[in-house]
Amino acid sequence: MNPILPQRTLSRRRLLQWSGISGAGLLLNGCASSLFAEQVGQFSEPLNQRIEALMLSQKPVPEFAASALDPAEKLLINTFDFTPRFDPTTFKLTIDGEVNRPMQLSLADLQKMPLTSMNIRHVCVEGWAAIVQWNGVRLRDLVTLVQPKNTVRYVYFTSADGYYESWDLASAVHPQTLMAYWRNGKPLTPDNGAPLRLASPIKLGYKQSKWVTQITFLSNLTPMKGYWEDQGYEWFGGL
Ligand SMILES: Nc1nc2c(c(=O)[nH]1)N[C@H]1C(S)=C(S)[C@@H](COP(=O)(O)O)O[C@H]1N2
Ligand SMILES: [Mo]
């Protein structure tokens, strides 16, 4: 095993730089007229200390060498209904809920943020697994950007095919929980969740939503805990 060295978590300084680069592309609070200087000023506010402590306490799990990656087709397509199709140039990810800075990000915005790659095992409860490479932005970097309020304990993911998922906050800010936009360094195929999907080595396959269009930070779970969970699957879904 030759684990890939984890990149350091995005600091607020780096975020300031990043938000400076792509400020024009950010739509903060859905209010395009708010002053950019004011927005940048608010990025320097301290991140909620509980979340910061959570992030610092987490260790990455070992990854696999490139030579251990399985052939692409070993990751079986598992889609409960249909495959949504997106124009990647107009796609927007909405991040909202109990956060100080709700925002909408384009794929270009996400791709200006630090890129993380990982070779991990995908495990489906239906009895198959595959070692896969995902590339994308760490969900924790998005968390740092939107600044969840102190009340937040869960993260809810809405997908374009009607799928929905909820995660505990700790798993969401794990250093290897990614919003992936590539696989093997190439844009995701529609079947694999293009343009944006969850990928993490700490959760079972059904927790890893494809075609994610909205990420919502919540203090309480709603009765809709997850597409499969609401049919009896375990909610935590840890590996
Ligand atoms: N939106 C959405 N996400 C989803 C699913 C789905 O049906 N819809 N299936 C889940 C299951 S059970 C698995 S195993 C993985 C499969 O990912 P893949 O199709 O890219 O192999 O996606 C997960 N994410
Ligand atoms: Mo699965």
Side-chain angles (χ1 to χ4, degrees), residues 78 122-126 128 205-206:
N78 202 347
H122 178 102
V123 180
C124 178
V125 289
E126 291 177 351
W128 54 272
Y206 64 85

Side-chain angles (χ1 to χ4, degrees), residues 142-233:
L142 294 174
V143 164
T144 304
L145 202 57
V146 301
Q147 299 190 352
K149 297 184 193 294
N150 274 312
T151 48
V152 166
R153 287 164 62 212
Y154 302 101
V155 190
Y156 188 90
F157 300 90
T158 305
S159 295
D161 62 339
Y163 203 78
Y164 52 96
E165 260 303 335
S166 56
W167 285 42
D168 59 291
L169 184 64
S171 300
V173 301
H174 186 275
Q176 290 149 302
T177 295
L178 303 188
M179 296 310 303
Y181 46 79
W182 292 341
R183 178 178 171 202
N184 295 325
K186 285 181 286 219
L188 294 175
T189 61
D191 281 341
N192 280 151
L196 195 65
R197 69 170 296 157
L198 264 168
S200 177
I202 62 166
K203 292 284 192 196
L204 284 162
Y206 64 85
K207 298 299 292 185
Q208 309 201 14
S209 299
K210 304 190 280 191
W211 313 295
V212 174
T213 56
Q214 188 174 3
I215 303 176
T216 308
F217 291 85
L218 298 172
S219 52
N220 288 106
L221 286 180
T222 68
M224 287 171 76
K225 293 185 171 43
Y227 179 80
W228 289 112
E229 291 85 330
D230 293 344
Q231 298 172 58
Y233 281 32

